[in-house]
Amino acid sequence: MFSKILVANRGEIAIRVFRACREMGIATVAVYSETDRDALHPKMADEAYNLGDGPAADNYLNIEKILQVAKESGAEAIHPGYGFLAENAPFARACDEAGVVFIGPPASAIDAMGSKTRARELMKEAGVPIVPGTTEAVDTVEDAMRIAKDEIGFPVAVKASGGGGGKGFRVALTEDELQGAFEGASREGEKFFSDPTVYLERYLPNPRHVEVQVLADKHGNVIHLGERDCSIQRRHQKVIEEAPAPEWVVDEETRERIGKIGVDAAKAVDYVGAGTIEGLFSSDTNEYFFLEMNTRVQVEHCVTEMVTGIDIVKQGIKAAAGEELDYQQEDVVLRGHAIECRINAENAARNFAPAPGKVGSYKEPTGPGVRVDSGLEAGGEVSPMYDPMVSKLIVWDADREQATKRMIRALDEYLIEGLTTLIPFHKTLLQTEEWAKGDTCKELLEDKEWLKSTAPAEAPKPVVEDEDEETAESKYLVEVSGKRFDVRVVGPALSAGVVAAPANGAAPAAGGGRKPKRGERKGGAAGGPDLVESPLQGNMWKVLVEQGQSVEEGQLICIIEAMKMENEITAPKAGVVEELHVKEGEPIQTGAPIAKIVAAAAE
């Protein structure tokens, strides 16, 4: 078994792996970006290394830096968690070349399942049912139109070959919508996965999203741990998951059938570790289609752990170390029902707009059958640079009805001050007739009026730091047990008249000036009925209008990227763009002006 593991991730999944390692007697190494300098996960590891400032490409996605930390720390293995480098075949190969064990499947399996078109080919060869569609990339809109009309029919789904997590997924209900769907899926594929190629599938309007958890070792043992129902989604991204699926959806016979599909799929690519076969299930026809394989631990692995009693993270670590699984298929027994709610910093009442910010008071729910996997604490921050997850709230009880009541109780106990989160949304949804019946709740999540009803009774007050308090950065050279370290201290500036002498004896740096008070800062443009303001903080990904241009009500003005999601901003009325305040590639803050649209003069 490994003596030390580096976790190449952040937030709650990094902490989840640290806890598993600690229970297994394995030392842990954290990496963190400058943005996460005060985050919780570096504090939870035995050692922590700063990967530097900037976007994720400069730190959490920087393979060279991470392998250098592994070498310096003496880590024998790297656990990628989910996201970032978790499904990156070049990273898995780089680990092998550096003599570090990648805790996950071999690079060949990641390659095979990373390309959705290649995965569909492999599954078809292995006898695994796939959604009707293409198994090769579609090069042009013209080709897509011909295939959709002659072979698949409408509605059709356009998917990025390297996509996942709802990225690179667009639907064309009619021929008129195909070009926009094709270009949108290709653009997201290029942006998020460096691969603009797309393929087509028959779009199933309201299937259930049912996935199978698999575990495999290097000795040929492959088992499944039953299914999870992840049908409650917005923008093709999950918000509530449960295990097992409602009994009127998946019975024992169906569970055995789709479990075998999961095992067959894993065996087809010589899989090792924890993985998930995602599928679309039609309860009307009892058909189950392979969708994709996530070659990593899933966000929602917790609900399966709650009903099986099997620690999926530990089993993945043991498999990577060359040990056999602790379980055989006959050992897997599902007991009770578990539900997970993703507590994201999002405003459901505003169509799930990201709502990053700083946390004030923070208190997690406790009690029987309650689990919280969190990456935050009081005073922490949800940064717009990363995904909006605050935590995952998981409950277990004897059946689905009782688990639902327990979840509502736990949500009531959860205290998160300063942030807008999905807690009010979850409480509202779990008390609907649709949830009780086990519906996919698609209509509710697409109903903007219903979403508005999930708004919190009182908007949370943002946590504002003392903006008059100055901060300073000092660098020191210290020696610990004979080993020299360069130490950087960032904190409140010393009082006036007090000067700190740097370790090298040099004079303190001049200038810098104090931070301006709120009232002294330059104000933004005043709001008004003609002014379109940004509903969220993010980066201006695309500007689709020009100053002086006429626009129609509902016309797309710009696209803001925030927390890995594209957010489309449309014109609230018809008129002329009199002022345009934004440029592509620039950051934008909540409430900042985007454009001023005035009614066209009457002729």
Side-chain angles (χ1 to χ4, degrees):
M1 181 49 65
F2 310 115
S3 61
K4 183 181 288 188
I5 290 175
L6 182 152
V7 180
N9 217 298
R10 65 182 297 278
E12 63 85 17
I13 187 57
I15 293 170
R16 168 70 183 91
V17 179
F18 294 154
R19 286 171 170 157
C21 290
R22 186 165 294 119
E23 292 172 11
M24 298 173 74
I26 302 171
T28 55
V29 180
V31 291
Y32 62 96
S33 67
E34 180 62 24
T35 300
D36 281 339
R37 178 167 50 85
D38 297 319
L40 184 58
H41 79 272
K43 305 174 188 176
M44 296 287 287
D46 297 310
E47 303 173 46
Y49 292 77
N50 191 326
L51 294 176
D53 205 354
D58 295 337
N59 36 74
Y60 292 114
L61 289 171
N62 191 310
I63 294 175
E64 185 178 346
K65 284 185 178 180
I66 290 171
L67 289 176
Q68 182 60 36
V69 171
K71 181 179 179 180
E72 290 180 13
S73 65
E76 301 159 292
I78 295 178
H79 197 302
Y82 56 75
F84 292 129
L85 294 170
E87 296 178 279
N88 187 299
F91 179 53
R93 292 192 181 93
C95 288
D96 291 341
E97 293 169 0
V100 179
V101 176
F102 177 79
I103 300 177
S108 57
I110 300 175
D111 272 334
M113 290 302 190
S115 168
K116 301 304 182 286
T117 50
R118 176 60 180 150
R120 283 168 60 80
E121 288 178 357
L122 286 170
M123 294 302 100
K124 189 174 182 179
E125 292 170 3
V128 173
I130 63 173
V131 179
T134 63
T135 55
E136 296 181 355
V138 179
D139 296 327
T140 66
V141 174
E142 291 73 23
D143 289 340
M145 183 66 74
R146 175 181 53 78
I147 294 169
K149 290 172 67 175
D150 299 343
E151 302 176 24
I152 300 176
F154 287 91
V156 66
V158 186
K159 295 186 174 184
S161 295
K167 304 295 188 299
F169 182 107
R170 298 295 176 96
V171 176
L173 299 176
T174 64
E175 294 181 18
D176 293 341
E177 297 177 356
L178 184 58
Q179 181 171 346
F182 187 96
E183 293 174 349
S186 180
R187 182 178 70 245
E188 287 192 354
E190 172 67 30
K191 175 182 173 185
F192 292 106
F193 308 102
S194 301
D195 183 0
T197 59
V198 300
Y199 66 99
L200 305 182
E201 278 184 357
R202 182 210 299 171
Y203 178 64
L204 306 175
N206 197 27
R208 302 196 74 90
H209 188 113
V210 178
E211 60 189 35
V212 179
Q213 175 72 57
V214 296
L215 290 173
D217 61 28
K218 297 179 180 179
H219 304 276
N221 301 308
V222 184
I223 64 173
H224 72 86
L225 306 184
E227 83 285 352
R228 295 185 286 260
D229 192 320
C230 309
S231 301
I232 311 296
Q233 302 186 13
R234 86 305 182 240
R235 303 182 187 177
H236 307 292
Q237 294 183 321
K238 305 162 189 172
V239 289
I240 300 178
E241 301 98 349
E242 56 185 317
E247 58 185 8
W248 54 89
V249 175
V250 175
D251 56 22
E252 285 296 335
E253 181 181 346
T254 303
R255 179 171 297 120
E256 183 176 347
R257 174 165 58 89
I258 65 176
K260 183 179 184 302
I261 289 174
V263 169
D264 290 345
K267 287 181 176 179
V269 292
D270 298 321
Y271 199 80
V272 175
T276 297
I277 305 301
E278 299 207 21
L280 298 178
F281 179 69
S282 172
S283 52
D284 295 333
T285 63
N286 203 30
E287 291 180 290
Y288 186 77
F289 297 111
F290 169 86
L291 180 62
E292 64 183 2
M293 183 176 191
N294 288 320
T295 53
R296 53 172 167 79
V297 65
Q298 286 278 91
V299 176
E300 60 273 19
H301 73 278
C302 319
V303 289
T304 297
E305 292 183 332
M306 298 289 271
V307 297
T308 62
I310 295 175
D311 191 310
I312 293 170
V313 173
K314 287 182 181 177
Q315 292 302 305
I317 293 172
K318 288 184 175 183
E323 298 185 8
E324 291 192 37
L325 298 176
D326 292 334
Y327 306 90
Q328 297 180 354
Q329 192 62 60
E330 55 267 27
D331 299 324
V332 180
V333 180
L334 307 186
R335 295 182 175 89
H337 199 90
I339 301 171
E340 173 181 287
C341 287
R342 298 194 187 192
I343 310 301
N344 293 343
E346 295 177 332
N347 190 338
R350 299 183 67 176
N351 200 28
F352 296 95
K358 195 172 182 65
V359 179
S361 297
Y362 181 84
K363 183 179 179 182
E364 295 174 351
T366 57
V370 176
R371 167 179 169 178
V372 181
D373 282 19
S374 173
L376 276 183
E377 60 184 344
E381 184 172 4
V382 177
S383 168
M385 291 187 67
Y386 307 114
D387 68 66
M389 183 176 289
V390 175
S391 68
K392 301 180 305 194
L393 176 57
I394 310 103
V395 302
W396 176 94
D397 212 323
D399 57 35
R400 188 174 189 268
E401 182 180 357
Q402 293 181 78
T404 298
K405 293 177 180 179
R406 177 163 285 173
M407 177 61 82
I408 294 170
R409 185 270 294 174
L411 288 164
D412 280 334
E413 289 184 8
Y414 214 144
L415 173 65
I416 307 175
E417 290 187 342
L419 282 182
T420 297
T421 72
L422 294 185
I423 289 177
F425 161 81
H426 287 306
K427 288 196 292 187
T428 305
L429 181 70
L430 291 173
Q431 296 177 76
T432 63
E433 182 180 352
E434 287 85 349
W435 168 264
K437 293 190 302 183
D439 288 350
T440 62
C441 300
K442 180 182 178 182
E443 292 78 11
L444 290 179
L445 271 69
E446 293 178 351
D447 184 340
K448 292 186 178 181
E449 290 304 313
W450 181 83
L451 287 175
K452 289 178 182 178
S453 73
T454 70
E458 182 179 349
K461 297 178 181 178
V463 177
V464 180
E465 297 177 350
D466 182 358
E467 300 195 8
D468 294 338
E469 182 180 58
E470 298 179 43
T471 60
E473 176 180 320
S474 302
K475 295 182 179 179
Y476 302 90
L477 178 65
V478 300
E479 192 171 277
V480 179
S481 300
K483 188 173 182 180
R484 293 157 63 92
F485 295 88
D486 291 317
V487 177
R488 181 165 60 107
V489 179
V490 179
L494 297 175
S495 301
V498 179
V499 179
N504 60 7
R514 67 175 176 84
K515 190 175 182 179
K517 296 180 181 179
R518 177 183 295 273
E520 297 173 339
R521 295 182 183 177
K522 183 179 179 181
D530 298 332
L531 190 64
V532 180
E533 298 178 335
S534 177
L536 69 161
Q537 179 179 349
N539 191 65
M540 187 57 63
W541 167 246
K542 199 79 173 175
V543 178
L544 296 119
V545 297
E546 298 177 351
Q547 188 168 329
Q549 178 179 335
S550 296
V551 295
E552 298 297 324
E553 181 178 350
Q555 182 174 334
L556 187 60
I557 297 175
C558 62
I559 301 173
I560 299 175
E561 179 196 354
M563 294 176 164
K564 301 182 181 180
M565 291 187 289
E566 291 187 3
N567 301 269
E568 297 183 344
I569 309 300
T570 58
K573 64 179 182 180
V576 176
V577 180
E578 185 177 86
E579 299 174 7
L580 188 62
H581 300 274
V582 294
K583 293 181 180 179
E584 289 183 5
E586 293 186 347
I588 188 167
Q589 302 297 315
T590 303
I594 293 175
K596 182 179 180 181
I597 299 176
V598 297
E603 296 183 2

